[in-house]
Amino acid sequence: MSEEKIETLVYEPKTTDNKSISFIWLLPLVVLMILGWIAYESYTKKGTNISVIFKSAEDLKEGVTPLEYKGLVLGKVTKIEINDLNSVKVNILVNSDVAKYVATEGTSFWIKKPTISLTKVSGLGTLLSGNKIELFPKYKTLKEYDNAKPQYEFTGLDTKPSLLEDTDGYYVNILSRGEDLIEVETPIFYNRFQIGEISSKEFKDGKVYLKAYIYDKYTYLINKSSQFVMNKALKVNFGPGGLNLEVSSLYSAIVGGITVETPLKDAQKIKEDKYYILSDDKKEFIERTPISLKFTDAKGIGINTLIMYKGVEVGKVDDLQLTQDNIIAKAYIYKKYDYLLTDNSSFNIEETEVSLDGVKNLNSIVSGNYLTIDYKKGKPKDSFEIVNSSMEKVDNDLVITLKTQNLNSITKNSKLYFKNIPIGKVLDYSLSSDLKHVNISLLVKEKYKKLINNKSLFYDMSSKLLELKDLDLDINYTGIKPLIDGGISLVEVDRKAKHSKKSFKLYSSYKDVQTLKREYSHGSYLNTYFDNGFNLKVNQAISYKNQEIGFVKSIKFGEEKSKVKLFIYKKYMKYISKKSRFYKKDAIKVDASLGGVLFEVDNLSSLLYGSLELDNSSKTSFPRYEIYSSYDDMKNFSNTISILFDDVEGLRQQFSKLNYKGVDIGKVSNVLLTPQNKVLVKIQVFKNYDRFSKEGTIFYLKKPKVSLNEVKNIGSTILPVDIGVISSNKSSFQNSFIGYDSLEDIKKVDNGEIIRVASIFPTKLNVDAPIYYKNVQIGKINKINLSKDGSKTLIDCFISDKYKHLIRKNSSFHDISGFKLKFSIFTGTEIETNTFTSILKGGLLVVTPIKYGEIATVNDTFLLKKELNEDWEKINPSIK
């Protein structure tokens, strides 16, 4: 292989001269300018760092929590750190443009938290963003800030300071004498409309000084006559005077605040250096007249005890002072009632008296004892002495002696009662000289001495409450107080009797005294009879209109009838006549129906011993006086109707009622089967006996009935069947009748008339099928029967009273039962029907011609037509 020479080629670069500056050198310059601008901006807007020390940094966040003034953000929290164990230090970067207004001496800082009430919502945004820091600058003008000293470390306030006052606003000063319940921004109301708020508060010399800002448009409401009162939902005072509980409205409970009242709208404005007094109660503004009261015993009386006159509060007790011998009370009477303060007026202490018989002065249970004024005209007086009511004078009182076998619960605190009114008291008691009985010394007040005479009876009200012996129950009840404290009762027999006795027997119970009282009474004896079918007892009471008029003196039993001797008190003999009757009164009466249960209990005496009741309702005289076993038995003797039925299924003795137009006027007292296998029903008529004991009266069974048209007497499916009645216009007397099985068996009804229609062909009609006139229902089919020979169907149609004039002697009745189908190849298919009810039950249509005849009667019979003329709708007579 031959060697070849390799030649190396070298290329020289081609150069040209470029005399212009390259743009690439501009980029560093631009970057330098931008960095310079950023540095300038950062320097000018860097802001000022300040620090504020708070007791807590709750809900403050670094880099988030703003510094605000009147809603403007002036800076932001940059750092939060512990200052010491009791506080935290919060660093805030303040915007440079506002730094001289913030970082100056006297600026206040506090943490703003959300406030929600019925009248104001503030700081609501902090619910989402957390708490904020707000500031309150010291100075108000730019000139003041130019001369102010800078400050960069501050101590934060616990709460928001007093509001900045507007020199052009309307401010009033208020002095609070009570508790410190008012805060800055507390609302001020007039008729529940907010008219201002508390702008500042200062505590000095044990008093609270408030400054209130009144909104411009409401300044006319405040003047010298204005009164400021605290809104309190609940005010409670408790002391010797009792529990004083005052409840305000729910609005005041939630909102609180201050209410202002201005009685005089034209009064002058108050001066700036004067103060309004903030009161807890608007009654403090009422003018008062001071008085002095002296007590020998002020039991139950204390500060705030009410003074009443005829149930109206006229004053209060202000203070009590104890002296060596007496108790002096400082009180006041409202100025408008000071006419009650005369030298003839007196004050009394009212206490609560509670017993099972009633409650006296019930309001003092809660409010405590209170004072009342017994007003009498006289000269003005401002000092009074109140004598304890228990201090009795005995100079002119009557003292008597009672003898008893046992003292029981009687003590020296026991009282003597007449008709449950205290008329005296027990002074003392001791054993007799022979030690066989107890002597009780009894005082009777002077004004009641005339009640005591030789026939006076006394019994122990507390010896026993209840005694049961030989099935004879004795209850001694007169109230809870005599049971607890013991008590003696006076029973008056004859007020005209003489008084010479000084010693009386004390009986152990009212029952013993009642027997003696009857023996002492004046009256007449009455012989009566009863049939031995029930029990009577000697000493049973006889009553008339809830008043005892006598008692059963004796009973002489016979084989069939027994003779009873009644003693009627003299003043009640005028009520006894030949029409008088007696019946044994039921102690308990129960009457049940669908309308409810009637439960009646007679008085206690009747419940324990039974009683006889005098009845004078009869219009006829009787040959002798009778005693019946019950009120119903007595009524059956005179007000009884007899009805004969074929069948009375569902009827119940003593439960089935006699019903007239929905009102019960009697009841079934007896049901008997006759020898002819009929059922005889005896009905006792409660009232209007003469109206229903007439010839022509109709009685029928009201049996339950359910159909497409109606649900009738449905109660009879649960309770006994009742008897319905249709009254008669005839005047002749009748008390025996033939009853009907149902209303459909009757051709006469109170609210319509029965028209008979006969059909010679089978019909699809049913009972209760409707009867129409121009497609308006005017009645219904009452009953369907066959004629005696079976050739016809007899249809009794009930026509309502208001439509019976439409039925004329030449009217026609047509059967529209079911529906008719017509089929034709040329005209198509037609279906004719009336109503859905007529398809199921059938129905009748009445057509009255234009030339109509006389009104149809129950004696007319119409022939039912099967076909209805096509032009019947064009027949339109005007029937009068």
Side-chain angles (χ1 to χ4, degrees), residues 635-642 669 682-685 689 735:
K635 285 293 185 181
N636 283 339
F637 184 78
S638 56
N639 295 359
T640 299
I641 290 174
S642 299
S669 59
K682 290 187 177 293
I683 296 178
Q684 173 199 331
V685 181
Y689 175 75
N735 61 2

Side-chain angles (χ1 to χ4, degrees), residues 705 740-747 754-757 766-768 780-785 793-798:
K705 186 175 183 181
Y740 292 87
D741 185 62
S742 65
L743 184 62
E744 286 74 16
D745 292 335
I746 306 170
K747 290 188 177 181
I754 302 296
I755 301 295
R756 174 159 287 185
V757 177
N766 292 298
V767 174
D768 292 332
K780 65 179 181 178
I781 294 176
N782 199 50
K783 193 174 184 181
I784 300 176
N785 282 320
T793 302
L794 302 179
I795 306 168
D796 289 341
C797 301
F798 166 76

Side-chain angles (χ1 to χ4, degrees), residues 508-560:
S508 62
S509 68
Y510 175 72
K511 186 176 180 181
D512 297 334
V513 171
Q514 184 184 41
T515 303
L516 290 173
K517 180 184 176 183
R518 288 172 173 176
E519 295 294 338
Y520 291 158
S521 300
H522 299 287
S524 301
Y525 290 103
L526 199 68
N527 291 324
T528 58
Y529 300 86
F530 76 106
D531 62 4
N532 296 337
F534 55 98
N535 293 326
L536 287 180
K537 291 183 178 181
V538 175
N539 289 326
Q540 276 185 315
I542 302 169
S543 59
Y544 181 62
K545 295 183 177 179
N546 289 328
Q547 180 65 44
E548 183 178 321
I549 64 172
F551 62 95
V552 176
K553 179 63 177 178
S554 63
I555 302 174
K556 186 178 180 180
F557 292 96
E559 289 293 334
E560 296 181 358

Side-chain angles (χ1 to χ4, degrees), residues 828-845:
T829 301
E830 295 182 3
I831 298 177
E832 296 181 3
T833 183
N834 190 42
T835 65
F836 180 72
T837 304
S838 66
I839 295 176
L840 298 178
K841 303 186 64 177
L844 296 180
L845 178 69

Side-chain angles (χ1 to χ4, degrees), residues 236-247:
V236 181
N237 285 322
F238 184 76
L243 177 65
N244 183 15
L245 181 67
E246 297 181 14
V247 181

Side-chain angles (χ1 to χ4, degrees), residues 12-119:
E12 294 182 359
K14 185 178 181 180
T15 62
T16 58
D17 294 333
N18 190 353
K19 298 180 181 180
S20 62
I21 300 174
S22 175
F23 286 102
I24 194 65
W25 297 105
L26 292 177
L27 180 59
L29 183 60
V30 171
V31 172
L32 183 62
M33 292 175 63
I34 292 174
L35 292 176
W37 176 256
I38 292 174
Y40 174 77
E41 284 291 309
S42 299
Y43 176 78
T44 57
K45 295 185 179 182
K46 177 181 179 183
T48 303
N49 284 302
I50 63 172
S51 62
V52 184
I53 297 174
F54 292 104
K55 289 183 178 180
S56 172
E58 182 181 1
D59 284 341
L60 300 182
K61 300 177 181 178
E62 294 180 356
V64 175
T65 300
L67 172 68
E68 291 187 357
Y69 175 67
K70 292 187 177 182
L72 297 177
V73 178
L74 306 183
K76 187 178 295 185
V77 173
T78 57
K79 187 176 182 181
I80 300 174
E81 58 186 355
I82 296 177
N83 183 56
D84 54 36
L85 295 179
N86 297 318
S87 62
V88 295
K89 185 176 182 180
V90 179
N91 292 325
I92 303 173
L93 179 64
V94 182
N95 298 341
S96 59
D97 56 339
V98 294
K100 71 175 182 177
Y101 305 117
V102 178
T104 57
E105 61 177 354
T107 304
S108 301
F109 297 86
W110 73 93
I111 298 175
K112 183 178 181 180
K113 299 178 181 179
T115 301
I116 301 176
S117 69
L118 287 183
T119 60

Side-chain angles (χ1 to χ4, degrees), residues 617-747:
S617 63
S618 177
K619 297 180 180 180
T620 60
S621 300
F622 302 100
R624 64 181 185 180
Y625 298 107
E626 295 281 346
I627 302 175
Y628 298 91
S629 62
S630 65
Y631 176 80
D632 292 344
D633 187 28
M634 181 186 70
K635 285 293 185 181
N636 283 339
F637 184 78
S638 56
N639 295 359
T640 299
I641 290 174
S642 299
I643 307 173
L644 196 64
F645 289 98
D646 289 331
D647 188 358
V648 291
E649 183 181 357
L651 205 70
R652 294 292 182 269
Q653 182 175 313
Q654 299 296 332
F655 288 95
S656 294
K657 307 292 184 182
L658 179 65
N659 190 276
Y660 178 69
K661 293 187 176 181
V663 178
D664 291 336
I665 60 171
K667 72 174 182 178
V668 174
S669 59
N670 206 354
V671 180
L672 303 170
L673 186 65
T674 67
Q676 294 78 24
N677 288 328
K678 300 283 187 177
V679 181
L680 182 64
V681 177
K682 290 187 177 293
I683 296 178
Q684 173 199 331
V685 181
F686 300 144
K687 54 186 176 179
N688 299 325
Y689 175 75
D690 296 338
R691 180 177 179 181
F692 300 102
S693 56
K694 293 181 179 180
E695 182 182 356
T697 304
I698 297 173
F699 298 89
Y700 62 94
L701 298 177
K702 299 182 71 173
K703 295 182 178 180
K705 186 175 183 181
V706 180
S707 66
L708 288 173
N709 286 351
E710 63 180 344
V711 176
K712 191 174 182 182
N713 302 329
I714 189 63
S716 300
T717 61
I718 304 172
L719 296 178
V721 171
D722 291 335
I723 296 177
V725 59
I726 300 173
S727 61
S728 172
N729 294 325
K730 296 181 181 181
S731 58
S732 55
F733 175 79
Q734 182 180 337
N735 61 2
S736 297
F737 301 89
I738 301 296
Y740 292 87
D741 185 62
S742 65
L743 184 62
E744 286 74 16
D745 292 335
I746 306 170
K747 290 188 177 181

Side-chain angles (χ1 to χ4, degrees), residues 350-354 359-366 368-369:
E350 296 294 336
E351 301 181 74
T352 304
E353 294 183 11
V354 183
V359 179
K360 181 181 178 182
N361 300 331
L362 178 62
N363 58 320
S364 64
I365 292 178
V366 176
N369 295 347

